[in-house]
Amino acid sequence: MSFPAYDDYMESSVEWLTEIPRNWDVVPIKRVGRLKGGAGFPHADQGVEGELLDFHKVNALSRADADGYLAPSDNTISPDTASRLGAFVFPPETIVFAKVGAALLLSRIRIIGNDSCIDNNMMGLIVHQELFDVTFIRYAMELVRFDLIANPGAVPSLNEGQIGNFRLPTPTDIDEQKTIANFLDAETSKIDALVAEQRRLIELLKEKRQAVISHAVTKGLNPNAPMKDSGIEWLGEVPEHWEVKKFKHLLSMIVDNRGRTPQFGDEGVPMLEAKQITEGTRHPSRSFIKFVPREVVDQFERDKVCEGDVLITTVGATAGRAVLVDASPDYFIAQNVIGMRPKSEVLPDYLFYLVISDFFYSSLMMTNKSNTIDNLKVSVFINNYCTLPPKEEQAPIVEYLNEHLETFTQLQAEAKGAIELLQERRTALISAAVTGKIDVREYATQETT
């Protein structure tokens, strides 16, 4: 859909903005409303349930509804606590954003719906609502290049002067601001709905992918094969001629490092970290950022990783993710990654698919005390039971999975590509509307009649 331009433009006096419609102005954010930073809260005062005021920490910016309003907080504080701590109470319709740390660079602009306090990693803009429409200003603030105006460094930060002097294009007529905001609400909600559909599709594809893997490595490819009880509650029946044995009996060795932290440099032997083992990938990423001089690497490397090893992460949010080592690995592994080398009667690809199956993941859950996957003990999970078909049957299973999973990978890539295009369209539409590059007034009027 295309939209007309305004009839008349003038120079904006802002280099990145160039021209704006004749009836618009360019206004520093400090004139749009009152800027106010959040307050520091002792841990004991960071929120309880049932008090009058919402309390938002900076991570709340990731939880907002389709209209940009922060979700109601589970943490609340009383007006007395706010007064005692000298914390400012921000009224409803305040625009909030991060002012410190990595969250600042995400450029998340939100609105609070209730009287709230915010922590000292955030800042609020209390808009002069007699002159400016809050929703329009929220959209316009997506133009702010936080990465360019913030104080650089390991922990980027922003003060009121830096954000306050950033100039926003705005119609001088508040009704026109509201018209543009209503238009963007309607159009972005359509785009967001399409994005949500693509994300649901990706999740369905992931579920289907896992179902295909788990069925192949626990039931095989022959639907008419005689079955037997595996004796394992979460496994159920398996083909009669398959073995059910402890996972350690599939391995010839466990590969790990010496559990020490080396001194890193800019070159040498790269170290593969857990973050390079990502969900849904077959091989580890070679985006190395840590290196150890070759002359000392033997102090930290107990065994060398070989082609055909299966790597699995053992600690943290990525625990339980696995990849298959491809040809000629020229790296050693971090202490929160272990390698599993299959015996000769086990195909590496079969071992990989077994480890990434829902069945194997369930067995990890069952043997972890907290029923969560955040710290795998090798000595425990290698004693879990698993399925092992004859080697001549493993190859057809691997071939079948390679072929079918490629289809899922392609469909997921297409869905991710569609999301990227939709998000680009959303950003471009907002930018064009709030800078006056397109005139949506007539279209918005048609939409509301």
Side-chain angles (χ1 to χ4, degrees):
M1 182 180 296
S2 60
F3 302 95
Y6 280 79
D7 294 332
D8 193 16
Y9 287 84
M10 63 181 181
E11 289 297 323
S12 68
S13 74
V14 178
E15 183 178 357
W16 62 267
L17 186 56
T18 63
E19 295 182 328
I20 59 173
R22 179 71 60 180
N23 61 321
W24 285 38
D25 197 0
V26 182
V27 183
I29 289 177
K30 62 187 177 184
R31 281 180 45 201
V32 171
R34 179 187 178 189
L35 287 162
K36 179 74 175 175
F41 283 77
H43 184 75
D45 294 307
Q46 287 192 5
V48 296
E49 293 183 1
E51 296 293 351
L52 188 61
L53 303 174
D54 277 353
F55 172 69
H56 296 292
K57 300 181 72 170
V58 70
N59 59 8
L61 296 173
S62 64
R63 300 185 295 275
D65 64 19
D67 294 325
Y69 282 80
L70 285 184
S73 177
D74 292 332
N75 291 325
T76 60
I77 64 170
S78 69
D80 287 343
T81 298
S83 177
R84 173 171 55 82
L85 296 175
F88 184 80
V89 178
F90 291 85
E93 304 300 308
T94 296
I95 295 173
V96 292
F97 48 92
K99 69 170 187 174
V100 177
L104 184 157
L105 303 180
L106 296 176
S107 302
R108 288 170 171 157
I109 313 297
R110 309 302 192 202
I111 303 174
I112 57 176
N114 305 301
D115 288 334
S116 305
C117 289
I118 60 177
D119 75 4
N120 57 349
N121 293 313
M122 298 169 68
M123 188 180 296
L125 172 65
I126 306 166
V127 176
H128 299 317
Q129 295 187 47
E130 67 280 7
L131 298 175
F132 301 98
D133 178 70
V134 172
T135 304
F136 175 86
I137 295 300
R138 177 178 69 84
Y139 281 122
M141 285 189 66
E142 294 194 21
L143 300 171
V144 178
R145 288 293 305 272
F146 287 94
D147 57 331
L148 296 182
I149 66 174
N151 298 311
V155 182
S157 62
L158 188 72
N159 60 44
E160 293 175 17
Q162 290 164 319
I163 186 67
N165 288 321
F166 191 93
R167 300 167 72 188
L168 298 178
T170 58
T172 55
D173 182 356
I174 191 173
D175 289 334
E176 185 174 348
Q177 297 174 30
K178 291 178 179 178
T179 297
I180 295 171
N182 290 338
F183 163 80
L184 289 174
D185 280 346
E187 293 303 306
T188 56
S189 67
K190 295 174 186 176
I191 295 173
D192 291 343
L194 293 173
V195 169
E197 287 180 8
Q198 294 299 315
R199 286 182 172 150
R200 283 194 294 272
L201 174 59
I202 290 173
E203 290 306 312
L204 288 172
L205 289 169
K206 287 180 179 179
E207 292 175 9
K208 179 64 175 175
R209 182 178 187 273
Q210 269 300 329
V212 170
I213 294 171
S214 293
H215 189 275
V217 299
T218 59
K219 310 299 179 187
L221 304 181
N222 181 6
N224 300 315
M227 306 295 281
K228 66 180 179 183
D229 185 0
S230 67
I232 309 300
E233 182 180 354
W234 62 85
L235 178 56
E237 292 189 331
V238 299
E240 193 173 63
H241 61 292
W242 285 23
E243 293 183 86
V244 177
K245 52 175 40 180
K246 288 186 176 181
F247 186 70
K248 63 183 179 182
H249 294 144
L250 276 60
L251 308 178
S252 63
M253 69 178 296
I254 296 289
V255 181
D256 64 0
N257 70 12
R258 297 182 184 276
R260 298 167 57 195
T261 302
Q263 185 70 39
F264 299 113
D266 295 329
E267 58 183 17
V269 180
M271 185 176 77
L272 187 136
E273 301 177 90
K275 61 186 176 184
Q276 291 165 260
I277 299 176
T278 55
E279 184 180 11
T281 58
R282 182 175 173 82
H283 301 296
S285 165
R286 288 179 175 263
S287 301
F288 300 109
I289 60 173
K290 294 182 179 179
F291 300 84
V292 172
R294 292 186 180 277
E295 59 270 21
V296 300
V297 73
D298 288 344
Q299 300 175 28
F300 308 100
E301 181 181 54
R302 189 191 308 275
D303 304 296
K304 292 188 180 297
V305 176
C306 295
E307 180 181 352
D309 289 349
V310 174
L311 305 182
I312 187 170
T313 57
T314 58
V315 178
T318 64
R321 293 181 184 175
V323 289
L324 182 65
V325 176
D326 49 1
S328 305
D330 56 351
Y331 50 80
F332 70 102
I333 54 177
Q335 64 188 62
N336 53 356
V337 178
I338 64 163
M340 300 173 291
R341 188 161 300 161
K343 288 184 175 179
S344 59
E345 65 266 28
V346 182
L347 293 178
D349 291 76
Y350 178 80
L351 183 69
F352 166 67
Y353 283 127
L354 182 66
V355 171
I356 67 170
S357 68
D358 272 350
F359 152 67
F360 191 78
Y361 191 84
S362 297
S363 73
L364 296 180
M365 292 280 285
M366 295 290 287
T367 52
N368 262 9
K369 293 180 180 179
S370 61
N371 276 353
T372 60
I373 305 297
D374 55 13
N375 191 358
L376 297 181
K377 293 187 180 301
V378 178
S379 60
V380 174
F381 82 74
I382 62 173
N383 282 298
N384 289 347
Y385 285 92
C386 61
T387 52
L388 182 65
K391 190 170 184 179
E392 63 271 16
E393 199 170 334
Q394 295 171 34
I397 291 174
V398 167
E399 183 178 354
Y400 170 85
L401 289 176
N402 286 345
E403 178 183 347
H404 282 72
L405 297 188
E406 179 60 28
T407 302
F408 291 121
T409 299
Q410 291 176 356
L411 291 173
Q412 285 180 240
E414 290 173 7
K416 289 178 181 178
I419 289 173
E420 290 177 3
L421 289 174
L422 287 166
Q423 291 175 330
E424 289 173 5
R425 161 70 176 165
R426 188 184 194 277
T427 298
L429 184 65
I430 292 172
S431 178
V434 300
T435 57
K437 298 296 185 291
I438 57 176
D439 184 353
V440 302
R441 290 172 296 180
E442 182 177 347
Y443 178 82
T445 302
Q446 294 172 354
E447 287 288 288
T448 56
T449 57

